[in-house]
Each structure stands twice: as C-alpha cells, then as structure tokens.
Amino acid sequence: MIYKRSSELFVEAQKVIPGGVNSPVRAFKSVGRDPVFVKEAKGAYLYDEDGRKLIDYIASWGPMILGHAHKPVVDAVVEKAQKGTSFGMPTAIETEIAKLAVSMVPGIDKIRFVNSGTEACMSAVRLARGYTSREKIIKFAGCYHGHSDSFLIQAGSGAVTFGSPNSPGVTQGTAKDTLLADYNDLEGVKALFEANSNEIGAIIIEPIAGNMGCILPKQGFLEGLRELCTANGALLIFDEVMTGFRLAKGGVQELKGIQADIVTFGKVIGGGLPVGAFAARSEIMSHLAPEGPVYQAGTLSGNPLAMAAGLAMLTELNEHPEIFESLENKTAYLHKGISEVLDKHKVTHTINCIGSMISVHFAPDAVVDFKSAAAGDNPTFKKFFHGLLERGIYIAPSAYESWFLNDALSYEDLDTTIKAIDEVASVL
Ligand SMILES: *Cc1c(COP(=O)(O)O)cnc(C)c1O
C-alpha cells in the first residue's frame, strides 16, 4: 500500500481532531479513502509523507497561484517574522497592501483586511445590511461563501420559498433571511425581488463560480443582476475570494466589465497565509466602525506576516500581468489535451474552463448550475481521481470542484498529466 504513512498519521489525527482534519474536504470522504498527508511543497509539486511527488492542481484551493514556496513570498515572510509577528497596533505595511489592492481592482476606494474568506463574506453582508437597513439577502444554490450561518443554506425545491438550513446549528431565524436562487436564472431572481419588495439588502454571488466545478455566468446574467440591484436599492456583492487576483488583476469585475458594490477577497490575496478582505467605494465603507456604526473587528487582522505574504504576492501579479496570460495558455493546453483523450476513449464528459480554472464533469449536458453539476457521474469521477492519484497527479477529491492551475506548472507537467488521463480514461 503506497499510502502507509499517511494512513498511520490519519489514525493518530482522528484521536484528537474531529474527523482527523481541520477542514472537511481534506478528509477525502467523498472519494472513499484516507487522506494524503503533505510533508512539503515546492513549485508545482507536493511531497507527501510517504515520499511521493504529486503534481498539484489544487494550489491549496487557490492561493498558491505562483506555485508553492515562491521565493519572493517566503523571503518577505521570513524577514517580517524576525521583527515580531503581531502587535495589535497599526503598521505601515497595511496601508501599502491596501493601496496596491485598491489600485488593481476597479471601483473600490477602501479595503478592510480580515483573516479568511468566510470572515470577508460574513462582514460584507453585515455591511450591506447596515447600509441598506434591510435584512434579506439572495444567494445562489451551489455558490460557497464560507461557513458562516447565513450562507449554509442549501437549494430548496423552489427558489421562491424560504431557504432551509443544511447544517444543524443554523437557526430557522437565520435561514429565513437567506433567499435562494439558481445560478444563471435571472427570472428567478426577479421573482424574489417582486415577492420581497424593499426587503432585500444584497445579492451575493461568485461571479464566476468555482465551488460547484467551474461555472460561467451566461451572457447577460451578471448584467441583469446589476440592473436588478440598482433598480431595487440592493447592493451587489461579488464574492471574488476565488477569482480575485486569479482571473485578472481586477478579478471578474475587470474581466466582465461589471461593477459590484462590495467585493470580497481571500486565497491569493494572502499569498498562502490566512487573509481575507472586503472592499467598496468610500461611501459604503464609511459605514464601518470606527468611522460608522457597523461593527467589525479582529485581533490578528492585518497581521504583519500575512500582509507581507500578501503584498509580495500582489506585487508579483501587478508587475508581471503576463502571468495571467501564461496561466490561461497552460489551462487551454490542458483543456485541449484532456478533451482529446476523453473523446478518444469515448468517455462522456463536459469541460468548463476560464483563465486558470477548469473542471471536468462526467456529465452529458452543459454544466450551468448546481443541478447540472450534480448530474455528473460520481462512480466515474472516483475512478478518475484514484487513477490520477496513483499516477502522481493530485486533483480535488470531489466531483464538484474546480482545478486551480499555478504558474509553476511546466508544459512537461501538463503532458505528464494528459498521458495519465489517457491511461485512466482507457479503463473508465
Ligand atoms: C474559499 C472560499 C470562501 C471561504 O474562504 P475561507 O478562507 O475558506 O473561509 C468564500 N468564498 C469563495 C468563493 C471561496 O472560494
């Protein structure tokens, strides 16, 4: 058995950590095997506790867009650490990264740093509610905005009904303020606005979804949401925790030319350290404490190590925008290669792809929302996942996840991956 050491570590972990992990997907439950424990990583590769080298297509679920242990980021963190790791007082580097982020992202004047994407989205919604004096929000089935109560609402049978909690511990009281719509269904959103007139404070959406595979907004969908929000006095929140600084310097707002009212960030913005952020124009941000009445705080927010990592990462992306093109080319190359081998072996599939995000669905029809993503063939995905892992390729352990390419991947790595998929597809 090639994963002896990982399995031993998992047994020990389960004794003292619930399920042996600090975040559920890491447990590999959906693919029915013990998780792989990582020892270290460099560039495009993970090195696991059993001494195997894996080509990494997850990049820590997004942050490591330039590959692991990227030198400018590591150097910045090491240098900072020697000067003290937390003060609970303002530091100059916070303004430095804030200025850079504001210059890269369209339509924002001010940004507040927090410690995770969850915190960013939770705070953005509070700010939107405080700003509009309205309590209800609309979210889309299959979009993930972190694990705070308002967002853990699953798809009900009808988008027009109240959401029902999908985690014990989320109260009905909270759930009733989260209205659900289907991704790419503008009519459904219109109906929600009509049924709840003057009650909806915000729409929150992954403007390109990355948490049910990679799902693109249909032509006119985001534009329609923008118009509905403006017409109804609601704020449009783009959750760019995944897409921000990954698909373009200015994220989906820049890519699609649509201006949100509040934007949330995470993942890439922290360069691999725990960072989230939310941003908006001054008029909205001024509602936030201590300037305004909407309370939001954090002992470790703006932490110097986290800011150093984030600043080094954003500086690289800002000074080398060709990285986005390089990533897009690599992803397109992989897309073409995977399509060809899956076609050759007559494996039913749909591939969604944009920039450095790609998802392979074992589904016959277009994947445009949560329902069509869920229609993919799970047993086939499991075989695919295990076959690739055996061959040293690591993709997300779930059929509903996107892959996130990093720029340390070489074309040789991509060819190795396509060859492995060719072998695995021959026995799917
Ligand atoms: C990862 C993610 C989050 C949550 O971020 P955490 O740092 O895991 O709390 C929120 N929104 C989106 C779109 C994400 O991909």
Side-chain angles (χ1 to χ4, degrees):
M1 156 167 139
I2 52 179
Y3 278 113
K4 186 163 176 294
R5 174 85 182 130
S6 272
S7 291
E8 286 165 5
L9 287 168
F10 190 46
V11 169
E12 287 309 301
Q14 284 171 290
K15 291 177 186 166
V16 283
I17 301 172
V21 292
N22 283 310
S23 197
V25 289
R26 292 178 203 167
F28 279 24
K29 260 188 151 172
S30 59
V31 288
R33 56 155 295 148
D34 289 354
V36 173
F37 276 60
V38 178
K39 194 167 188 180
E40 57 188 70
K42 178 76 192 158
Y45 312 120
L46 298 165
Y47 299 89
D48 66 37
E49 288 280 359
D50 288 273
R52 301 186 73 222
K53 172 179 160 185
L54 301 171
I55 301 179
D56 182 16
Y57 284 98
I58 302 306
S60 184
W61 302 93
M64 316 316 297
I65 191 169
L66 301 179
H68 294 280
H70 188 66
K71 195 170 182 316
V73 177
V74 173
D75 287 351
V77 172
V78 169
E79 196 198 321
K80 265 287 173 216
Q82 282 160 348
K83 296 174 181 168
T85 56
S86 182
F87 316 116
M89 294 170 78
T91 55
I93 195 172
E94 291 163 83
T95 308
E96 217 181 317
I97 184 174
K99 275 189 178 163
L100 181 56
V102 164
S103 76
M104 291 170 80
V105 177
I108 62 170
D109 302 315
K110 291 185 181 176
I111 183 165
R112 165 84 38 104
F113 286 92
V114 293
N115 306 287
S116 68
T118 295
E119 250 188 274
C121 294
M122 174 184 104
S123 307
V125 164
R126 183 181 304 147
L127 177 59
R129 285 175 165 150
Y131 178 83
T132 57
S133 304
R134 295 177 181 182
E135 298 197 347
K136 291 181 182 170
I137 60 167
I138 296 176
K139 88 169 274 287
F140 295 87
C143 279
Y144 183 65
H145 306 294
H147 65 91
S148 94
D149 287 0
S150 307
F151 304 129
L152 287 183
I153 311 298
Q154 73 182 177
S157 48
V160 196
T161 56
F162 286 144
S164 65
N166 75 348
S167 166
V170 176
T171 65
Q172 290 291 345
T174 300
K176 79 171 175 36
D177 288 329
T178 301
L179 309 174
L180 275 168
D182 287 321
Y183 204 83
N184 277 323
D185 175 18
L186 197 56
E187 289 306 314
V189 178
K190 257 184 217 159
L192 286 175
F193 271 111
E194 279 160 20
N196 300 272
S197 73
N198 298 324
E199 289 186 276
I200 295 168
I203 293 180
I204 184 165
I205 186 165
E206 290 180 71
I208 285 171
N211 284 286
M212 45 180 163
C214 168
I215 294 191
L216 303 182
K218 285 184 181 161
Q219 192 70 37
F221 178 57
L222 296 176
E223 292 82 352
L225 296 181
R226 177 65 275 174
E227 284 166 20
L228 280 173
C229 281
T230 305
N232 289 281
L235 298 187
L236 180 60
I237 305 174
F238 273 6
D239 177 353
E240 297 227 40
V241 170
M242 183 54 76
T243 51
F245 307 104
R246 169 167 282 280
L247 294 183
K249 271 192 202 184
V252 180
Q253 288 197 112
E254 176 188 321
L255 216 57
K256 299 279 178 192
I258 296 169
Q259 184 65 52
D261 296 302
I262 305 179
V263 193
T264 62
F265 300 104
K267 302 193 167 113
V268 174
I269 201 173
L273 268 75
V275 181
F278 59 106
R281 54 187 187 271
S282 296
E283 176 225 347
I284 295 173
M285 291 306 266
S286 68
H287 283 67
L288 211 55
E291 234 184 302
V294 178
Y295 195 69
Q296 187 280 325
T299 301
L300 290 169
S301 293
N303 172 270
L305 296 195
M307 296 296 96
L311 180 60
M313 176 65 92
L314 296 196
T315 301
E316 289 275 291
L317 297 173
N318 192 45
E319 289 175 2
H320 304 282
E322 69 277 8
I323 289 167
F324 298 108
E325 204 186 320
S326 156
L327 276 165
E328 187 172 350
N329 291 339
K330 287 176 189 176
T331 311
Y333 182 85
L334 186 66
H335 182 176
K336 184 164 170 282
I338 298 176
S339 293
E340 281 169 5
V341 296
L342 291 181
D343 282 343
K344 183 173 93 183
H345 295 290
K346 301 196 164 42
V347 178
T348 302
H349 70 279
T350 295
I351 298 179
N352 288 355
C353 179
I354 185 166
S356 54
M357 294 164 65
I358 178 169
S359 56
V360 180
H361 302 264
F362 296 105
D365 301 318
V367 173
V368 296
D369 56 14
F370 184 65
K371 216 162 101 204
S372 45
D377 185 74
N378 247 325
T380 302
F381 174 78
K382 273 193 203 176
K383 276 195 253 168
F384 185 68
F385 173 86
H386 291 294
L388 288 185
L389 186 59
E390 273 166 33
R391 289 165 180 80
I393 316 287
Y394 177 56
I395 62 167
S398 154
Y400 312 128
E401 300 283 359
S402 179
W403 308 14
F404 306 107
L405 270 70
N406 70 78
D407 203 38
L409 285 162
S410 66
Y411 280 90
E412 204 183 332
D413 294 326
L414 301 179
D415 285 334
T416 303
T417 305
I418 294 163
K419 184 167 167 290
I421 293 175
D422 192 355
E423 286 173 25
V424 173
S426 72
V427 294
L428 280 182

